[in-house]
Amino acid sequence: MSICYIVGAGECKKLDFTKKDGDIVIAADGGYKYLQRAGIKPDIVIGDFDSLGKAPEGEKIIRLKPEKDVTDTYAAVSEGIKCGYSRFNIYGASGGRIEHTLANIQLIASLAEKNMQASIFDGSTVITAVTAKTLRFDSAYNGYISIFAHSDKCTGVCLRGLKYPLENAELNNLFPLGVSNEFLGVESEIVIGNGTAIIVYSLPKS
């Protein structure tokens, strides 16, 4: 499946992706500077350019009004959907202003509920969202993994191959029962029977 890479203006510890045929790269305002530093040319630059100060020259620009109902990152994802993409890897979408991090978590949850795949990459950590789906991890994964209900509740929750297992449990969005679980160096899986969950996990150490 082709990937739409979005680079926002939040904290961006590294850009470690390689664009392949069929992929697209969209800079959301100040995310353009991260792409410049990494030597990656965006296909589209979108934003109101309050972070950059001005629109960069020599790029395909989509200019947004400063007074708007959505963030630049949300607008970038919307543009990716218009281009036919349903898988989004988002960088520079956490850290910095907490309200933007929360807005981006809501964004990936909304995509999961539309049967799209979206993840926020923050260095060695990934934040993703799933709706009524199973995620599987191989034995290379290590460190912590946390599961939070984003909808009012998630039912039929199973955590297998992790330090703290659950079977057919219910999580709600007012109590963090799923925080700070741990990989054990074996194959593991998370089953969300119903509802939308936010999952935060560490990438395997190379």
Side-chain angles (χ1 to χ4, degrees), residues 140-171:
Y141 281 83
N142 45 59
Y144 293 100
I145 182 165
S146 297
I147 303 91
F148 302 96
H150 180 81
S151 48
D152 289 344
K153 62 182 179 180
C154 293
T155 58
V157 177
C158 303
L159 309 180
R160 299 170 179 144
L162 300 173
K163 184 174 181 179
Y164 305 108
L166 286 175
E167 196 67 31
N168 200 29
E170 178 177 302
L171 302 181

Side-chain angles (χ1 to χ4, degrees), residues 75-114:
V77 167
S78 297
E79 192 62 30
I81 293 172
K82 289 179 186 178
C83 292
Y85 291 85
S86 59
R87 180 180 175 185
F88 298 88
N89 287 3
I90 308 173
Y91 296 76
S94 58
R97 291 171 58 185
I98 186 64
E99 64 267 37
H100 281 287
T101 301
L102 291 171
N104 290 326
I105 290 172
Q106 287 188 325
L107 172 58
I108 64 171
S110 72
L111 292 171
E113 292 185 356
K114 296 171 184 174

Side-chain angles (χ1 to χ4, degrees), residues 53-141:
K54 63 177 182 178
E57 297 180 0
E59 304 289 357
K60 180 179 179 181
I61 301 296
I62 297 177
R63 190 183 295 272
L64 306 175
K65 294 180 179 179
E67 295 80 16
K68 57 189 184 299
D69 293 330
V70 300
T71 64
D72 292 336
T73 304
Y74 189 105
V77 167
S78 297
E79 192 62 30
I81 293 172
K82 289 179 186 178
C83 292
Y85 291 85
S86 59
R87 180 180 175 185
F88 298 88
N89 287 3
I90 308 173
Y91 296 76
S94 58
R97 291 171 58 185
I98 186 64
E99 64 267 37
H100 281 287
T101 301
L102 291 171
N104 290 326
I105 290 172
Q106 287 188 325
L107 172 58
I108 64 171
S110 72
L111 292 171
E113 292 185 356
K114 296 171 184 174
N115 201 31
M116 299 185 186
Q117 181 181 338
S119 299
I120 295 170
F121 290 80
D122 179 18
S124 61
T125 302
V126 178
I127 307 169
T128 195
V130 295
T131 298
K133 188 173 289 186
T134 298
L135 283 183
R136 294 184 174 86
F137 301 87
D138 63 35
S139 59
Y141 281 83

Side-chain angles (χ1 to χ4, degrees), residues 171-194:
L171 302 181
N172 67 65
N173 61 3
L174 297 177
F175 186 75
L177 177 65
V179 71
S180 295
N181 212 319
E182 295 182 47
F183 291 109
L184 296 174
V186 298
E187 292 182 356
S188 56
E189 70 175 10
I190 295 170
V191 179
I192 306 297
N194 292 284

Side-chain angles (χ1 to χ4, degrees), residues 26-47:
I26 303 177
D29 203 331
Y32 179 74
K33 63 188 177 186
Y34 295 127
L35 288 164
Q36 274 192 312
R37 292 173 191 169
I40 301 171
K41 183 173 176 60
D43 296 285
I44 301 170
V45 183
I46 188 169

